Structures are given as structure tokens and as C-alpha cells.
Amino acid sequence: MDPKAHWNSVYQTKGERGVSWYQTDAELSLRLIKSVSSSRNATIVDVGGGASTLVDGLLNAGYGDVTVLDLSATGIQLARTRLGAVAQQVTWVEADVLTAELAESAFDIWHDRAVFHFLINQRDRHRYVSQVQRAVKPGGHVIVGTFAEDGPERCSGLSVARYSAEALHGEFGTDFRLLGSERQVHITPSGVPQVFTYCVCRYCPAGIAEALKSAA
């Protein structure tokens, strides 16, 4: 099935609160974002945000430059409907992250909860990392959450890759400095525990890395 059709079907069948990744409050993601940026002027993209409630938390926390990127028009519309008038404060992008035309150095913070682990092809993972390198400002931060090594092997009918913090960081390479990692046990709406790995990195291409060392 076409990926766009697949994810639209998932949202149409299960609704906003029935999908396995639903959270009433994206507490961990919001806390990690706050930990890397005290500025509410930070430019943030939530990749695969769909109907996620993270955007609600970001707006409530005072962040004023938020982009939600998702392949599913249905997921985006669910979020827009939930937010009502304040949805106008968000930039909504319906696109595949692997092929989206992202502006160079557009974002201070890149957040992704549960997109990267669907990329079971190494070529797709390389394309994803290239998109991060293009879109994130040097010195910016990247927060990615995937299923942990002891997490599910499949999600929404699709196979996934599972990661330890070390393995997840290794997919991004030496341009990304690992600042920290966390494990989270997420309980799905049906009561099933799913274990996630989160990595927080700073994007430090060679020139920036040397400048940071000199300033230290």
C-alpha cells in the first residue's frame, strides 16, 4: 500500500485517540525540548507529528515558531480541528520527510517520535539523516525517539527497527554529539506497554565542532 494511503487509513480507522502512539500529554518530548532551548523563539519541527499532542504542549509553553510535518493529511486535520483557532499559529506541512523540500538551516530543534524506526532500509535512513543535516542549524538539536531493543517488532502492520541509545546515535554519525538518552515505557490506549529509546544530540558539523572546542 502507498504510505500516504496507509497512514490516512490508520487515522481514519482508529481515530486520534485509538492509535497506539497516542499520548494525552507528550511530557517527555516537551521536557527534552525545554532542556535544549530556553528560548521560546526557537524554531521547532515535529516530524511525523500528525495528530500528536506535542504541538499543544509547545504552544501552551509559549513556543511561537512550530512546524508539524506529517505524511497523513488526516492526522494533520485531526490536530488542526483539536487546536481550533490557535492552529493558525502552526506551520503544517503534509509531506514525506525523506523527500520534503526543507529549507536549509531552518530549525533550531528537530523532534521525531516514532518515524525513524519505520525506516528499515539503510538507504532511507541515510536520506533521513541528510534531511536533518540540511534542515537543522549548525549547533541546533535533534531529538529522536524509536522503539527500544526490547520494544515491539511491528507497529500499525509494519515492521520496525529497534535501537539502543548507542545504535540510534550511530545511525547519525560523528556530526551529531550525543548529549543524553532516556528510556520510556509508553502505555498504548489498549493498555500494552511499549519501550522507547530517546536520544538527544547536538548537530556539530566539523567547523562548528572545532569552534565549540575552542570556546570550552
Side-chain angles (χ1 to χ4, degrees), residues 21-196:
W21 56 90
Y22 175 75
Q23 298 173 299
T24 56
D25 180 8
E27 183 276 331
L28 177 55
S29 292
L30 185 59
R31 174 165 58 82
L32 293 176
I33 289 171
K34 288 180 176 179
S35 76
V36 299
S37 177
S38 59
S39 172
R40 294 305 187 261
N41 294 320
T43 51
I44 302 170
V45 60
D46 184 19
V47 174
S52 167
T53 57
L54 176 58
V55 65
D56 308 55
L58 290 169
L59 294 175
N60 289 336
Y63 289 99
D65 195 338
V66 180
T67 297
V68 175
L69 184 152
D70 199 276
L71 187 59
S72 170
T74 305
I76 288 175
Q77 187 56 51
L78 286 169
R80 295 185 67 139
T81 299
R82 184 184 68 240
L83 288 170
V86 296
Q88 299 177 21
Q89 300 175 26
V90 180
T91 299
W92 304 92
V93 179
E94 180 190 334
D96 183 336
V97 65
L98 300 183
T99 57
E101 296 183 5
L102 302 174
E104 188 171 352
S105 299
F107 302 110
D108 296 301
I109 301 171
W110 175 290
H111 173 270
D112 164 10
R113 175 181 178 264
V115 171
F116 190 76
H117 63 208
F118 284 108
L119 305 180
I120 59 175
N121 182 295
Q122 185 66 56
R123 182 180 63 181
D124 287 342
R125 293 196 292 271
H126 285 162
R127 290 168 69 191
Y128 180 102
V129 173
S130 293
Q131 289 283 66
V132 176
Q133 291 172 314
R134 174 179 178 80
V136 176
K137 298 175 184 177
H141 293 86
V142 180
I143 301 167
V144 176
T146 68
F147 285 140
E149 289 176 303
D150 51 343
E153 296 181 353
R154 295 179 64 82
C155 179
S156 298
L158 302 176
S159 297
V160 299
R162 302 181 296 172
Y163 294 94
S164 65
E166 181 181 20
L168 180 55
H169 177 232
E171 291 286 343
F172 284 78
T174 57
D175 280 351
F176 296 85
R177 180 179 299 175
L178 182 63
L179 302 181
S181 63
E182 293 203 28
R183 279 170 57 90
Q184 180 192 49
V185 179
H186 165 66
I187 305 300
T188 72
S190 60
V192 177
Q194 296 179 333
V195 187
F196 279 76

